[in-house]
Amino acid sequence: MRNITYVFAAIYQGIKNRRPGGTPYFNLRLLITFIVFLHIVHIQLGLKILFDIELYLNRNLFIFCFLLFGALSLFALNYIIPEEQLQNIAIEKSDINKMNWYSGLYFIACIILMVVLLVNLPPPNITSRY
């Protein structure tokens, strides 16, 4: 847990340095929540492509689950990674720059993986009603 906390603290310090008057802790929690949500979608698309398992939710239920997951994860991250703990970790400037660079690359890799999975998604079975 120490290594992941160090990474989150470095990203937190990087966000804090870029926007001194902003809300770096909320931005960090939002980033973590969004990346976890992306991974959930990656798993769903991978299951659909590899095993033809469809985890289908209608649009309203999907939006409700997304909002519920987002609210619960933002709330839970307050207790899992408290802001005081992130502020008390001593981090070198080079580590802050390195972690911010890696987190940007990781986010871009997640988006590229999403595009690759969507391109390889098989077409839906459309049956004609006429």
Side-chain angles (χ1 to χ4, degrees), residues 44-96:
Q44 287 181 338
L45 290 173
L47 288 173
K48 176 67 177 160
I49 292 169
L50 295 176
F51 304 113
D52 200 28
I53 298 173
E54 188 166 341
L55 303 172
Y56 177 75
L57 298 175
N58 66 17
R59 188 176 63 187
N60 293 334
L61 185 60
F62 176 78
I63 292 171
F64 174 75
C65 289
F66 176 72
L67 292 175
L68 182 68
F69 170 75
L72 290 176
S73 64
L74 287 175
F75 182 72
L77 284 171
N78 273 335
Y79 297 104
I80 295 171
I81 308 168
E83 186 174 12
E84 295 79 25
Q85 182 182 2
L86 294 177
Q87 290 175 346
N88 293 335
I89 297 175
I91 302 169
E92 296 179 16
K93 179 82 170 159
S94 63
D95 285 345
I96 292 172

Side-chain angles (χ1 to χ4, degrees), residues 8-20:
F8 289 154
I11 295 171
Y12 170 80
Q13 291 295 331
I15 294 171
K16 188 175 178 182
N17 292 343
R18 275 190 303 250
R19 295 179 180 220

